[in-house]
């Protein structure tokens, strides 16, 4: 019984390890050819609850993809990632330059529920499958990198270039956004695109129309700023968005061996004898007093003058309390003192209850004695009450 339990545990571990291995996404690509892997949102939608369908409703959640090399914060140098919007699929693309294996961690964030899911992509880079000594790079101005990476669009571009090259042995070498080449970010308006550089290669030599890119006449037309004239065989553009800008297209011939530069000659490491070392002379002395005066003394003097001017304005230009009261009308001073007296009286009343009503509430009273004065008899309703009170109590006004 114990032996059967041990075998069952070993079998469970083996099955779990197999399932873990099978959970990884595997991809293969040769050296020197374009690698494109599309991260489809529909595939990862099944990893989040509710699983794709719930009571007849199909969920289409926005998702954010983040990719990095395992145990590293960034991707390998040959690999790039792009995703324009959360409702768009993501693309991993690039051209490997050496054999090996790259493990990419893919983190998916559901922007509706903020659940996360992590997967791993293992890219095995095989030796070069084809030799492509003849390569050409074309610039497509009316495209963006996300619109070129799908396989259907790549096939459209490949068919057009096969007609220009007059061969079916044509493969993609690299696809690069114009922004990675120093291009400007386009305006967010309709009809403005980033532009894409597409490099293809073949073992077949260039066609006659492609060789016209290397002629002097073509270079002169491009330098003059006009549109270069291309022979009719190269005017193949099944879709307007795939048309090529010929002045930014180049041909690359890798069939000719590149002669490396000569290696530097190694000397004995000892200077030749002869001559006396003549060190450079010391610079002449310099007077820093003018610089000090301009840099320190002048700003300090200006600061002192401004401080004195401000002190004179704030302290010496004040008119004083007596002069201000002398220029103020008596009725205004009386009104001011009345407000202060009423305020003090209300504050004293707030501390206790059951006090007599304040004198300020009585009609026409004397502020000094509290004596009620007879009402002012006048036929004009335009005379204010305070003027009438002033005429009655002129002897009680404060004088300065």
């Amino acid at each position: 019984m114990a032996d059967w339990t041990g075998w069952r545990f070993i079998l469970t571990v083996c099955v779990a390890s197999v399932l873990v291995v099978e959970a990884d996404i595997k991809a293969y690509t040769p050296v020197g050819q374009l690698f494109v892997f599309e991260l489809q949102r529909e595939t990862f939608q099944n990893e989040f609850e509710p699983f794709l369908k719930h009571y007849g409703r199909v969920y289409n959640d926005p998702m954010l993809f983040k990719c990095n090399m395992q145990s590293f914060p960034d991707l390998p140098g040959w690999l790039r990632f792009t995703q324009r919007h959360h409702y768009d699929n993501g693309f991993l693309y690039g051209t490997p330059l050496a054999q090996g294996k790259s493990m990419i961690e893919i983190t998916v964030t559901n922007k509706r529920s903020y659940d996360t899911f992590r997967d791993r992509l293992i890219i095995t880079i095989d030796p070069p499958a084809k030799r492509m000594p003849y390569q050409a790079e074309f610039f497509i101005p009316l495209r963006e990198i996300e619109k070129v990476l799908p396989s259907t669009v790549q096939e459209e571009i490949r068919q057009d270039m096969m007609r220009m090259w007059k061969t079916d042995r044509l493969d993609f070498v690299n696809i690069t956004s114009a922004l990675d080449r120093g291009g400007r970010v386009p305006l967010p308006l309709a009809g403005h695109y980033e532009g894409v550089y597409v490099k293809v290669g073949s073992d077949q030599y260039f066609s006659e129309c492609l060789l016209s890119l290397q002629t002097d006449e073509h270079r002169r037309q491009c330098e003059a700023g006009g549109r270069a004239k291309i022979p009719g065989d190269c005017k193949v553009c099944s879709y307007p968005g795939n048309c090529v800008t010929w002045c930014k297209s180049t041909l690359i011939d890798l069939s000719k061996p590149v002669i490396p530069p000569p290696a530097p000659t190694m000397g004995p490491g000892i200077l030749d004898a002869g001559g006396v070392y003549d060190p450079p002379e010391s610079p002449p002395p310099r007077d820093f007093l003018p610089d000090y005066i301009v840099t320190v003394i002048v700003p300090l003097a200006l600061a002192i003058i401004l401080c004195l001017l401000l002190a004179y304005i704030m302290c010496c230009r004040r008119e004083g309390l007596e002069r201000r009261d002398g220029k103020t009308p008596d009725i205004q001073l009386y009104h001011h003192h009345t407000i202060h007296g009423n305020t003090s009286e209300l504050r004293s009343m707030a501390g206790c209850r059951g006090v007599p009503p304040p004198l300020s509430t009585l009609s026409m009273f004397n502020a000094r004695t509290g004596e009620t004065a007879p009402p002012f008899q006048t036929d004009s309703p335009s005379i204010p009450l305070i003027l009438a009170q002033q005429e009655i109590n002129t002897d009680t006004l404060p004088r300065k």
Side-chain angles (χ1 to χ4, degrees):
M1 184 67 180
D3 295 341
W4 170 247
T5 304
W7 280 106
R8 185 169 57 183
F9 176 75
I10 294 173
L11 182 61
T12 303
V13 172
C14 293
V15 171
S17 61
V18 170
L19 292 177
V20 170
V21 172
E22 290 298 330
D24 294 335
I25 305 174
K26 298 181 179 180
Y28 302 89
T29 181
V31 174
Q33 292 189 19
L34 178 66
F35 168 78
V36 178
F37 184 81
E38 184 175 3
L39 302 176
Q40 298 182 357
R41 295 172 45 256
E42 292 79 4
T43 302
F44 293 96
Q45 181 68 59
N46 298 329
E47 306 296 338
F48 299 103
E49 295 182 358
F51 300 105
L52 191 60
K53 292 185 179 181
H54 188 65
Y55 296 108
R57 178 182 177 184
V58 179
Y59 282 85
N60 185 24
D61 299 335
M63 297 183 188
L64 175 64
F65 296 95
K66 291 185 179 180
C67 302
N68 61 281
M69 192 163 56
Q70 189 174 13
S71 303
F72 290 90
D74 299 326
L75 290 170
W78 64 272
L79 195 61
R80 294 186 179 91
F81 173 75
T82 181
Q83 183 186 12
R84 179 71 64 172
H85 194 268
H86 295 162
Y87 285 96
D88 297 335
N89 296 335
F91 290 92
L92 284 166
Y93 67 100
T95 303
L97 303 177
Q99 302 182 34
K101 184 178 291 187
S102 298
M103 296 185 180
I104 308 300
E105 290 183 351
I106 303 173
T107 304
V108 189
T109 304
N110 190 319
K111 301 299 290 185
R112 177 184 59 85
S113 60
Y114 287 93
D115 294 335
T116 58
F117 174 76
R118 180 169 293 179
D119 207 344
R120 187 170 66 172
L121 171 66
I122 301 178
I123 305 174
T124 303
I125 305 173
D126 299 329
K130 298 179 182 179
R131 184 175 177 271
M132 295 180 291
Y134 306 106
Q135 299 179 6
E137 187 175 58
F138 303 98
F139 178 68
I140 304 177
L142 301 181
R143 282 291 190 179
E144 296 177 347
I145 189 66
E146 296 85 0
K147 305 301 181 181
V148 175
L149 294 176
S151 57
T152 55
V153 181
Q154 290 187 37
E155 185 61 26
E156 293 177 359
I157 298 174
R158 182 172 175 270
Q159 292 295 329
D160 292 343
M161 294 182 178
M162 285 169 55
R163 298 188 188 98
M164 292 187 296
W165 208 304
K166 296 182 179 180
T167 180
D168 56 351
R169 293 179 295 183
L170 200 66
D171 295 287
F172 285 96
V173 176
N174 194 13
I175 295 180
T176 310
S177 173
L179 300 182
D180 298 333
R181 299 286 190 89
R184 294 186 176 182
V185 178
L187 297 174
L189 302 175
H192 292 76
Y193 304 91
E194 299 173 358
V196 177
Y197 286 92
V198 178
K199 181 185 286 188
V200 294
S202 175
D203 57 353
Q204 187 79 18
Y205 192 66
F206 305 111
S207 61
E208 294 182 0
C209 69
L210 292 178
L211 289 175
S212 63
L213 298 176
Q214 298 179 339
T215 59
D216 296 337
E217 181 181 0
H218 176 75
R219 295 192 184 95
R220 286 194 301 268
Q221 292 176 357
C222 293
E223 292 175 357
R227 299 184 61 182
K229 297 180 180 179
I230 300 298
D233 296 340
C234 284
K235 294 181 180 178
V236 179
C237 187
S238 59
Y239 182 74
N242 298 335
C243 294
V244 174
T245 299
W246 294 103
C247 287
K248 294 185 179 181
S249 302
T250 56
L251 302 181
I252 305 171
D253 189 357
L254 301 178
S255 60
K256 301 177 182 179
V258 179
I259 301 176
T265 56
M266 302 299 294
I270 301 174
L271 295 176
D272 297 335
V276 180
Y277 176 69
D278 186 12
E281 297 180 357
S282 300
R286 181 181 175 185
D287 186 12
F288 290 97
L289 180 60
D291 297 339
Y292 176 76
I293 293 176
V294 174
T295 308
V296 178
I297 301 300
V298 173
L300 184 60
L302 292 177
I304 294 175
I305 293 173
L306 291 176
C307 290
L308 293 176
L309 181 61
L310 183 62
Y312 172 75
I313 294 174
M314 297 295 295
C315 300
C316 300
R317 297 287 295 178
R318 300 175 66 98
E319 60 181 357
L321 181 62
E322 296 181 359
R323 184 181 301 179
R324 186 189 61 184
D325 291 345
K327 295 180 179 180
T328 305
D330 294 339
I331 186 63
Q332 187 175 353
L333 287 175
Y334 178 77
H335 189 199
H336 176 75
H337 288 291
T338 303
I339 292 175
H340 276 275
N342 296 341
T343 303
S344 301
E345 187 179 4
L346 291 175
R347 286 180 178 177
S348 62
M349 292 176 59
C352 58
R353 296 178 179 270
V355 297
L359 299 177
S360 60
T361 60
L362 301 178
S363 59
M364 307 303 295
F365 69 97
N366 192 307
R368 296 295 182 89
T369 63
E371 182 181 358
T372 304
F376 181 71
Q377 301 295 333
T378 177
D379 298 335
S380 176
S382 61
I383 300 178
L385 179 62
I386 193 168
L387 293 179
Q389 184 179 359
Q390 179 189 12
E391 295 180 3
I392 297 174
N393 302 322
T394 54
D395 58 335
T396 62
L397 292 175
R399 298 292 180 179
K400 296 292 183 178

